[in-house]
Amino acid sequence: SQLLDYPGDECNVQAAGDKPAISGPCPDILGHNHGGYLPWDVTHSVKLFTAYTIPFSFMNLTAAPSFTWTDGLTYQESRLVQINGDTDLYYDTPQGSSRLKDWYQVNFSLEAAFRVFNPVEIALKADIFNITNQQQTIDANQIVTTPGDNFGLPASRGALQAPRAYQFSAVVRF
């Protein structure tokens, strides 16, 4: 990637699709490659967690919901181009000019802890992750960033939020 521009540098950008080829001083042509939001910019994020235990004579029952909300990561239109014989990443729009949609996730955990003999405790635990089964795009590294109709869409299943999942555990505490 071209990190430095020198006075008198000449850039020749061979574009694809409906974009015209560009030639001229590098600082003018590569102006979109300066500044902007960082790729992992998360301006707002909220995480809430609580737990409540109901004591019984033979066990403790604990319920623990959690909630996470965050705004989406930044991305921009980009493509690989030939500049002065090298293949470089070129931003068609300023860095961080687009942002994925906000996303949230609700989780829930329930644990029954039985007192076997002091100080040993055996617990059975059930967790549900992403209760509402949200499937928002959350990974900006796995989306289409080339200009066109698919810009900003997921390029693979890995770009999406993990689907609802269940986990069951047995715990021994001493």
Side-chain angles (χ1 to χ4, degrees), residues 13-120:
V13 178
Q14 302 301 317
D18 60 352
K19 299 276 184 183
I22 303 170
S23 180
C26 288
D28 296 336
I29 290 186
L30 300 177
H32 284 158
N33 290 303
H34 303 291
Y37 289 104
L38 295 173
W40 294 104
D41 175 71
V42 176
T43 308
H44 304 97
S45 181
V46 175
K47 297 179 182 182
L48 302 172
F49 171 82
T50 189
Y52 184 73
T53 300
I54 303 169
F56 293 98
S57 61
F58 61 98
M59 75 166 183
N60 288 333
L61 186 63
T62 303
S66 66
F67 173 80
T68 302
W69 170 85
T70 186
D71 57 1
L73 296 173
T74 61
Y75 63 102
Q76 60 280 326
E77 288 186 6
S78 61
R79 56 196 157 116
L80 294 176
V81 294
Q82 293 290 321
I83 299 176
N84 296 329
D86 294 325
T87 301
D88 293 300
L89 179 65
Y90 176 76
Y91 295 141
D92 286 277
T93 57
Q95 183 175 340
S97 58
S98 298
R99 188 175 287 277
L100 296 173
K101 291 181 181 178
D102 297 359
W103 62 273
Y104 72 91
Q105 182 166 315
V106 179
N107 304 319
F108 185 76
S109 177
L110 187 65
E111 179 182 283
F114 302 92
R115 293 179 205 105
V116 179
F117 54 89
N118 242 357
V120 178

